[in-house]
Amino acid sequence: MIRSFVLPLYVAAMLAAGPALSTDLLVGNKSADTVWRLSTKDGTRLGEFATGQGPHEIVISRDHRFALVSNYGAATPGHSITVLQLGGKGGTRTIDLGDNGKPHGMRLLPGDARAVVTTEGSRKLLLVDIAAGRVEHAIDLGEGRGHMVALAADGKTAFVTKIDAGTVGRVDLASRTKTHEVAAGAGAEGVAVHPGSGRVWVSNREAGTVTVHDPDTLAIEHTVSSPGFPIRVVFTADGRHALVTNARAATLSVIDTATKQVTHTVALSSPGAEYRETMLGRAALPIGVIADPKRPRVYAAISGGDEIAVIDATQWKVIDHWKTGREPDALGVVE
């Protein structure tokens, strides 16, 4: 049975936090089966939630009252989502996904009543009713394993990447069908929709590129070089920059979304630091990345170092490191 707890320190910290820049960082620790809540003031751990095995991705409701965590599993495939109650007394509950194993990418639909979830085990995109705690529909994605998912601003269309196929697919959520799928680049993994243009950005880890796609046809409009295993892509709140973690190179590519040019490359590994063994050898292995919506900060999960690299987004350099649990990956900001 999944445990449910939040450290009492969280309540005191919330009362002490200033209202203007009051944000916290949620960190999913894949090998510890936990989510930590850190103060973005100094990285202090304010709370801890128990999850299922292998928490891989985190999404947070627009009112910041709850978060979803996909439990991918470890030696045994996971079949659940953990719902974290972020306000009041906190706590967790679990949504069982039935035969749909290895849940990974997630996004909440407008209104936060339902979520879309990729499941590598069943090769589906699930529509999940959060309040009822049940799978509403399973959309077939065809050959290849859907990994990450992004949504159009109106919530009517989902975009799903497949690492093994090197593709991005378009799913019509009204008709509940995949309309088409195109090649993006070898190892297509990260995916995000630009908040202004609606263009679909995909990080292709084996190809070492980021591709920008038309949201209707999925035709590639631009290809940006981002060498070193680009594994995630997200945007700053104003949409001016795309942020790409390059896992093998241990760098962050900062891309101007207007010019499609890399303006900065931020080193994320620390000279002389001891990193543990990861899927890419003994390395820093940055994966998850997120921009703080209230201050010029970016947070990157250093999976091989069990830490968060804190990046100043005015100078584009690492200014601090915060301790996490074992193998941090998924990130979310709570306002």
Side-chain angles (χ1 to χ4, degrees):
M1 183 176 182
I2 294 178
R3 295 167 293 135
S4 171
F5 66 96
V6 179
L7 298 182
L9 179 59
Y10 160 68
V11 176
M14 286 297 288
L15 291 174
L21 298 176
S22 180
T23 59
D24 295 339
L25 183 69
L26 296 185
V27 181
N29 304 301
K30 287 197 298 191
S31 292
D33 305 333
T34 61
V35 168
W36 282 13
R37 186 166 185 163
L38 304 181
S39 166
T40 57
K41 180 180 179 181
D42 56 9
T44 299
R45 179 162 53 131
L46 305 177
E48 179 176 347
F49 297 87
T51 66
Q53 275 197 321
H56 267 53
E57 295 300 321
I58 297 172
V59 292
I60 298 172
S61 64
R62 289 159 183 82
D63 61 8
H64 301 274
R65 296 181 65 182
F66 70 88
L68 306 179
V69 182
S70 55
N71 300 313
Y72 187 84
T76 302
H79 293 81
S80 70
I81 293 170
T82 299
V83 183
L84 312 181
Q85 304 298 336
L86 300 176
K89 296 181 180 180
T92 67
R93 63 184 175 91
T94 301
I95 298 175
D96 189 339
L97 302 178
D99 295 333
N100 299 290
K102 297 185 176 180
H104 198 281
M106 298 183 296
R107 286 291 186 272
L108 280 159
L109 293 169
D112 293 337
R114 297 186 302 163
V116 289
V117 183
T118 61
T119 51
E120 292 187 4
S122 61
R123 303 189 177 191
K124 307 288 187 185
L125 179 67
L126 307 183
L127 282 171
V128 178
D129 185 318
I130 304 304
R134 65 180 182 86
V135 175
E136 186 178 292
H137 194 80
I139 301 169
D140 186 15
L141 294 176
E143 290 299 313
R145 297 186 299 275
H147 190 69
M148 300 292 283
V149 61
L151 285 175
D154 60 8
K156 295 180 180 179
T157 308
F159 304 96
V160 179
T161 52
K162 295 178 179 177
I163 299 173
D164 50 358
T167 61
V168 59
R170 182 182 184 277
V171 178
D172 184 314
L173 295 177
S175 63
R176 297 177 176 178
T177 57
K178 184 184 74 174
T179 60
H180 50 292
E181 183 176 327
V182 305
E189 179 163 355
V191 61
V193 174
H194 185 265
S197 70
R199 264 42 189 175
V200 181
W201 290 54
V202 178
S203 57
N204 307 297
R205 66 190 206 185
E206 272 85 21
T209 63
V210 176
T211 44
V212 183
H213 300 252
D214 178 275
D216 297 319
T217 67
L218 295 184
I220 297 176
E221 297 178 333
H222 302 277
T223 299
V224 183
S225 178
S226 187
F229 213 79
I231 200 166
R232 292 287 184 272
V233 56
V234 302
F235 295 105
T236 52
D238 59 11
R240 292 179 58 190
H241 296 102
L243 309 172
V244 180
T245 44
N246 303 303
R248 182 174 284 114
T251 59
L252 178 76
S253 293
V254 182
I255 303 172
D256 185 306
T257 56
T259 65
K260 311 300 187 295
Q261 299 294 316
V262 176
T263 60
H264 298 82
T265 300
V266 183
L268 297 177
S269 60
S270 301
E274 291 289 331
Y275 296 110
R276 58 178 174 74
E277 196 67 28
T278 71
M279 68 177 185
L280 296 179
R282 191 172 292 276
L285 190 66
I287 302 181
V289 60
I290 196 166
D292 194 309
K294 291 192 173 183
R295 68 184 83 191
R297 289 266 191 90
V298 172
Y299 310 107
I302 309 302
S303 183
D306 298 339
E307 64 184 13
I308 298 297
V310 183
I311 300 151
D312 182 325
T314 59
Q315 305 178 69
W316 293 112
K317 68 176 185 179
V318 176
I319 57 172
D320 205 352
H321 293 88
W322 297 339
K323 182 65 179 173
T324 68
R326 184 78 164 175
E327 198 179 357
D329 184 344
L331 301 175
V333 172
V334 181
E335 297 180 35

